[in-house]
Amino acid sequence: MNKKGYWVVRARISNSDNYSKYIELATKIISKYNGTFLIRGGAQEEFEESGLERTVVVEFESHTDAIECYKSEDYQVALEHVKDSATRYVSIVEGV
């Protein structure tokens, strides 16, 4: 049985206008790979460490789909908007 895959993204946004361009592109690409947003920003409380004000979790039908989406040419183009607009920590994790 294929285990689901998840993107877990923590971010600190430094240029919301440019980051918005990334969000617009990435949303379409993630949809193309059948990704579903489970968490997309929203209120959060940080414990132990702080400074990353945005959390996003995306569920994919498989770990392979999650990795393929991230490595896709389209997504790599979208990431160009992140370079000067955010500091992010991204993990792609296999579900249980």
Side-chain angles (χ1 to χ4, degrees):
M1 182 167 107
N2 244 351
K3 294 183 179 179
K4 293 193 180 218
Y6 297 87
W7 286 10
V8 180
V9 182
R10 301 292 320 278
R12 180 179 324 106
I13 311 304
S14 56
N15 181 327
S16 58
D17 290 338
N18 207 26
Y19 199 73
S20 292
K21 294 174 188 173
Y22 157 76
I23 291 171
E24 183 180 335
L25 292 171
T27 299
K28 293 173 186 171
I29 297 161
I30 289 166
S31 178
K32 179 177 158 183
Y33 283 83
N34 298 312
T36 302
F37 287 92
L38 301 179
I39 299 169
R40 193 170 194 181
Q44 68 181 35
E45 291 186 44
E46 294 181 306
F47 298 92
E48 298 183 29
E49 296 290 333
S50 64
L52 301 170
E53 73 270 2
R54 184 171 175 85
T55 301
V56 176
V57 176
V58 182
E59 181 181 68
F60 292 86
E61 288 303 309
S62 71
H63 186 246
T64 301
D65 290 346
I67 291 172
E68 286 178 0
C69 180
Y70 187 87
K71 290 183 174 181
S72 72
E73 188 175 320
D74 290 344
Y75 189 74
Q76 294 305 304
V77 170
L79 281 177
E80 290 296 316
H81 294 286
V82 173
K83 289 181 180 177
D84 295 327
S85 66
T87 301
R88 302 185 334 150
Y89 299 95
V90 179
S91 297
I92 298 178
V93 184
E94 185 177 69
V96 293

